Amino acid sequence: MAFDIDMIKEVYASMAERVDKARELTGKPLTLSEKILYSHLWNGNPTKSFTRGKDYVDFAPDRIACQDATAQMALLQFMHAGKPKVAVPTTVHCDHLIQAKVGASADLKRANETSNEVFDFLESVSNKYGIGFWKPGAGIIHQVVLENYAFPGGMMIGTDSHTVNAGGLGMVAIGVGGADAVDVMAGMPWELKFPKLIGVKLTGKLSGWTAPKDVVLKVAGILTVKGGTGAIVEYFGEGATSMSCTGKGTICNMGAEVGATTSTFGYDESMDRYLRATDRADVADAANEVKEYLTADAEVYANPEQYFDEVIEINLSELEPHLNGPFTPDLATPISKMKEAAKKNDWPLKVEYGLIGSCTNSSYEDISRAASLAKQVSDKKLKTKSNFTITPGSEQVRYTIERDGFIDTFDKIGATVFANACGPCIGMWDRYGGNKDDQDKNTIVHSFNRNFAKRADGNPNTMAFVGSPELVTAIAISGRLDFNPLTDKLINEDGEEVMLDEPRGYELPPEGFAVEDAGYVAPAKDGSGVQIAVADTSERLQLLSPFAPWDGKNITGAKLLIKAFGKCTTDHISMAGPWLRFRGHLDNIANNTLIGGVNAYNQKTNFVKNQLTGEYGGVPDVQREYKAAGVSTVVVGDHNYGEGSSREHAAMQPRHLGVKVVLVKSFARIHETNLKKQGMLALTFANEADYDKIQEDDTFNFVDLENFAPDTPITIELVHADGSKDTIITNHTYNEGQIAWYKAGSALNLIKAQNA
């Protein structure tokens, strides 16, 4: 039986009336995305038609999911909200703080020793406030959610950008910052600009070496890392219905890499099969009663150009396996073109590591197809040329693949099975033989979702390429980046030329899923007596103090902290890896603030000018000196600033250190919202060319901030070191409610005041 089945049935009970009313108000057939959005309005039944990309709308999500690295700050904030229990079903998953080094058992044991303070804190807070808790080793949040909580037609938010994975089960699942989650936990509405819609029509059918991962790698190449910003990507067509549910999850997962609000698929038989295989026949039965409301109206898919803002068509029968990278997930290369591309770009052909698994590709189907290739190593008398690792997505998947002999198959080719956790995908990888200071370029291939510089192993010279588990396995066997398993032969131990057979696997385990201990801990029915203690001397956890409200005056005399050049993701603003240990201690983790951002004036990282002394220093050190002197500061950035993870630390850390304004060419959606929630001023250049006017010694005067209002530009006077001045115009997207957050100092301050 499913978790929260009564809540799911309530969603379905109101869906028909709400969707029918929305169809009447809009006067047109509806996409699946619109059906889910209109059926989850905070005020219940729709009363108006919303304009895509313009109207801010209040929603009522069905549930919340948090991973341990972001849950710490989210729950520290919720503790200040004055609520005895979360208002909607919520779960916490311990998956980020387990470093991959030796193997599953040893790594999990070490994590429980080194991070027990954090795990104990999360479990006790969960117990107190009615939150479901998944222990370390239970699995990666998104795989566990897909197996246990996701349901067709539902709306979920999660404190991780890859929450979108649940779109594989027909949800609108959206990554948010912790402050957004706190709103919903506290019984408040969740605000989102009504998304635009991108339709992806899939014709034909996948076969041979081509996998669902290749669909989204192709889409990433088309849309780029910002092409989906502000939009939901909805997949449909015969190619979509022919695909497995977990394959759909893989596609939705990597939708975060094109900046999409989320991605989703209409309910079909593959979802029904997956629900029943994961012991949720009750959800499948309930969904089947309203299934016409769990996919788009027929007219939409018949004439998609009339109903989507953009339509992409991909023929799966012609789609080729892809490798995307290095350094960005949208640099898409068909495998047949890799020889040429690698030679042209001087990418090292020797592959040091092949890594499969993660939240993106750790299903039973993925593992079984990769295992079919691993088995051929001994059958065809081959040897695996690259180091090879597997990261299962959940204890249920790990237990089942061990029972079915796949782990034994991987063991025979010398593979390492890591713990059911994020591990290398998020930089929690103590890479054997990987020197972070090594200046030599090296190549790895993986089936993860992101491949930013330093993402996996901390080495800026590691070139990471993203592919399907099947392609990664084949390349690891060959040891070469330019190996094309569709055409290329390998030399075995007998000197014979052999080719790898096409991968084969199972959509679902023929003998069903099995697990002894899934890792779930239910909360106390009454948590009022649970005590939560945070030691003043703790290096890992720190109780929060409210941010100061705005004084209502113009900001004057502000100094430039850093003008970031080029890509500046949340990894650059607040790195993960070893810094994850401080995710619950705002002051300690603030010491990594923007240390990965490239200074536009000297092309160096963590080396900026202190205008008070004229000397150069690390970004956090310089900013702390500005704060101590009572000087306001401004961060300037390029396009898609804050791309990547949903981590609100990238907004909270600059706020904590005293940064007042972030001014960029454009924002990634989640990061812009996080800045607003934390009481920061998030602005964009009205004229992007004004980015070039900002000089290293500039002082900023905000001449009309006192008139802060929706749809009203803000004027900045730039005073240069030689006394000359420039005036620039900046835009913002704050509405009245968000301006109230700014005035109060943060959204949480406003919630506390309202609760009081």
Side-chain angles (χ1 to χ4, degrees):
M1 182 174 175
F3 287 95
D4 308 309
I5 185 62
D6 291 337
M7 175 270 286
I8 295 171
K9 288 180 177 179
E10 286 180 14
V11 172
Y12 290 161
S14 63
M15 182 166 276
E17 180 183 358
R18 295 181 178 188
V19 170
D20 290 345
K21 184 64 177 177
R23 196 183 289 113
E24 175 188 326
L25 289 166
T26 59
K28 65 178 183 64
L30 298 178
T31 65
L32 167 65
S33 304
E34 290 171 310
K35 290 182 179 182
I36 298 175
L37 293 170
Y38 277 108
S39 64
H40 283 85
L41 298 176
W42 177 254
N43 291 323
N45 283 349
T47 57
K48 61 172 288 189
S49 174
F50 296 108
T51 302
R52 299 175 194 167
K54 181 178 180 182
D55 289 339
Y56 280 96
V57 182
D58 285 341
F59 292 101
D62 301 313
R63 66 175 314 110
I64 299 167
C66 307
Q67 42 94 335
D68 51 354
T70 53
Q72 295 171 65
M73 199 57 70
L75 295 182
L76 284 164
Q77 292 178 84
F78 180 73
M79 289 166 63
H80 286 265
K83 297 289 185 177
K85 192 174 183 178
V86 292
V88 302
T90 302
T91 53
V92 166
H93 304 256
C94 295
D95 61 359
H96 274 57
L97 299 178
I98 304 168
Q99 187 181 49
K101 183 175 183 178
V102 178
S105 179
D107 293 347
L108 182 58
K109 181 176 183 294
R110 187 174 65 257
N112 277 313
E113 292 170 351
T114 59
S115 295
N116 64 305
E117 178 188 11
V118 173
F119 296 147
D120 289 347
F121 168 77
L122 293 174
E123 185 171 2
S124 64
V125 176
S126 297
N127 200 26
K128 183 175 182 65
Y129 294 111
I131 298 169
F133 180 75
W134 290 81
K135 298 183 294 187
I140 306 173
I141 176 174
H142 312 303
Q143 180 67 24
V144 173
V145 165
L146 197 71
E147 292 174 0
N148 295 277
Y149 298 111
F151 67 97
M155 175 181 277
M156 177 175 71
I157 60 172
T159 61
D160 189 286
S161 55
H162 294 107
T163 299
V164 295
N165 188 80
L169 251 176
M171 292 195 89
V172 161
I174 301 174
V176 299
D180 275 1
V182 170
D183 283 357
V184 180
M185 289 180 196
M188 308 281 283
W190 174 62
E191 183 185 70
L192 177 73
K193 185 182 288 186
F194 205 83
K196 295 183 178 181
L197 300 175
I198 298 173
V200 180
K201 182 178 182 180
L202 303 178
T203 62
K205 187 176 181 180
L206 294 171
S207 63
W209 284 94
T210 311
K213 184 63 161 272
D214 297 306
V215 176
V216 72
L217 294 178
K218 175 73 172 179
V219 169
I222 295 169
L223 287 177
T224 76
V225 291
K226 60 181 181 178
T229 302
I232 293 178
V233 182
E234 185 171 325
Y235 292 84
F236 62 94
E238 61 179 348
T241 56
S242 69
M243 207 178 295
S244 69
C245 176
T246 51
K248 293 178 174 73
T250 291
I251 292 171
C252 292
N253 183 296
M254 267 200 74
E257 274 40 84
V258 299
T261 301
T262 191
S263 303
T264 194
F265 286 78
Y267 180 63
D268 61 17
E269 292 180 1
S270 72
M271 296 184 192
D272 179 285
R273 291 192 298 270
Y274 187 73
L275 286 168
R276 296 183 191 281
T278 51
D279 199 26
R280 289 177 288 171
D282 46 356
V283 178
D285 291 340
N288 286 331
E289 292 180 8
V290 293
K291 60 183 179 182
E292 68 270 25
Y293 291 94
L294 302 178
T295 190
D297 292 331
E299 300 94 324
V300 171
Y301 291 162
N303 302 285
E305 289 80 6
Q306 296 179 25
Y307 302 101
F308 291 97
D309 298 289
E310 180 179 354
V311 178
I312 297 168
E313 185 168 338
I314 299 173
N315 185 342
L316 301 187
S317 299
E318 299 174 355
L319 183 64
E320 191 177 341
H322 277 61
L323 277 179
N324 284 26
F327 303 134
T328 186
D330 60 351
L331 181 56
T333 304
I335 192 60
S336 65
K337 304 293 185 183
M338 182 50 77
K339 283 187 176 70
E340 177 185 343
K343 182 178 180 180
K344 177 181 177 181
N345 293 286
D346 194 28
W347 296 332
L349 295 181
K350 180 185 177 184
V351 174
E352 305 289 343
Y353 269 89
L355 308 99
I356 66 169
S358 83
C359 69
T360 325
N361 277 110
S362 56
S363 67
Y364 186 89
E365 181 179 38
D366 291 327
I367 301 299
S368 65
R369 284 173 63 86
S372 76
L373 296 170
K375 188 175 183 299
Q376 294 179 48
V377 172
S378 58
D379 291 350
K380 296 179 182 290
K381 298 182 179 180
L382 294 165
K383 281 191 175 180
T384 307
K385 300 292 180 63
S386 304
N387 295 298
F388 190 62
T389 73
I390 301 97
T391 303
S394 70
E395 175 58 15
Q396 179 167 266
V397 166
R398 189 213 62 79
Y399 188 94
T400 305
I401 64 173
E402 182 177 43
R403 179 202 66 188
D404 293 349
F406 298 148
I407 288 183
D408 183 58
T409 299
F410 290 128
D411 283 343
K412 289 177 179 176
I413 67 167
T416 300
V417 179
F418 287 137
N420 313 320
C422 299
C425 183
I426 58 157
M428 286 295 280
W429 180 27
D430 189 355
R431 176 178 169 181
Y432 177 75
N435 185 345
K436 293 179 176 57
D437 298 319
D438 193 343
Q439 297 302 306
D440 292 334
K441 293 188 294 185
N442 73 98
T443 294
I444 65 174
V445 293
H446 60 59
S447 67
F448 308 157
N449 39 44
R450 293 200 171 127
N451 59 347
F452 304 142
K454 301 200 270 188
R455 171 81 178 185
D457 61 3
N459 186 346
N461 298 301
T462 295
M463 297 186 172
F465 294 83
V466 182
S468 69
E470 300 93 315
L471 187 60
V472 169
T473 304
I475 288 174
I477 291 170
S478 73
R480 290 183 62 85
L481 181 66
D482 60 353
F483 176 69
N484 182 354
L486 286 77
T487 58
D488 295 352
K489 296 178 180 179
L490 298 169
I491 306 297
N492 70 8
E493 292 178 303
D494 294 339
E496 301 168 333
E497 289 187 336
V498 296
M499 288 189 70
L500 293 173
D501 300 327
E502 293 178 351
R504 298 183 181 278
Y506 301 92
E507 176 184 356
L508 297 164
E511 297 180 23
F513 284 108
V515 68
E516 286 184 349
D517 178 8
Y520 176 69
V521 180
K525 290 185 178 180
D526 179 5
S528 59
V530 177
Q531 297 297 313
I532 301 168
V534 174
D536 292 339
T537 56
S538 174
E539 292 185 347
R540 302 290 298 270
L541 298 165
Q542 180 187 45
L543 295 177
L544 297 176
S545 299
F547 290 131
W550 178 41
D551 62 7
K553 300 177 181 178
N554 288 329
I555 299 172
T556 58
K559 301 298 184 182
L560 176 69
L561 174 61
I562 184 173
K563 179 178 174 181
F565 174 80
K567 187 185 285 285
C568 193
T569 71
T570 50
D571 279 277
H572 296 87
I573 305 167
S574 174
M575 289 184 177
W579 288 95
L580 284 176
R581 66 189 304 268
F582 297 125
R583 281 285 179 87
H585 198 294
L586 182 56
D587 194 57
N588 282 347
I589 198 168
N591 289 323
N592 79 359
T593 304
L594 279 159
I595 63 175
V598 177
N599 184 351
Y601 302 107
N602 56 25
Q603 297 299 302
K604 295 181 179 180
T605 59
N606 202 29
F607 199 64
V608 296
K609 187 172 184 178
N610 182 338
Q611 292 191 47
L612 301 179
T613 65
E615 298 177 351
Y616 285 80
V619 179
D621 301 324
V622 171
Q623 178 55 38
R624 286 187 187 275
E625 291 192 34
Y626 283 134
K627 182 179 182 180
V631 175
S632 300
T633 53
V634 178
V635 168
V636 174
D638 213 314
H639 276 299
N640 210 27
Y641 183 88
E643 169 192 348
S645 166
S646 69
R647 65 193 71 154
E648 65 185 336
H649 298 74
M652 294 185 78
Q653 291 170 215
R655 177 76 163 108
H656 171 71
L657 292 178
V659 175
K660 295 291 182 67
V661 184
V662 179
L663 170 62
V664 300
K665 293 180 181 177
S666 65
F667 284 105
R669 174 190 64 85
I670 299 176
H671 187 63
E672 182 181 23
T673 300
N674 286 344
L675 289 168
K676 292 178 178 180
K677 287 277 185 177
Q678 300 303 334
M680 293 276 275
L681 195 58
L683 305 175
T684 56
F685 293 100
N687 179 3
E688 290 180 7
D690 287 344
Y691 171 92
D692 297 322
K693 292 181 179 178
I694 294 174
Q695 299 174 20
E696 191 172 26
D697 292 306
D698 276 355
T699 297
F700 297 73
N701 295 317
F702 294 74
V703 300
D704 51 10
L705 181 58
E706 291 176 337
N707 303 319
F708 194 16
D711 302 316
T712 303
I714 292 175
T715 306
I716 302 175
E717 178 188 68
L718 298 176
V719 182
H720 306 305
D722 62 2
S724 63
K725 298 178 180 179
D726 277 306
T727 298
I728 65 173
I729 305 299
T730 66
N731 295 326
H732 66 84
T733 60
Y734 289 77
N735 58 29
E736 290 285 3
Q738 294 167 346
I739 290 175
W741 300 342
Y742 182 74
K743 290 179 177 179
S746 71
L748 181 59
N749 287 356
L750 198 61
I751 291 175
K752 288 172 63 178
Q754 291 168 344
N755 285 339

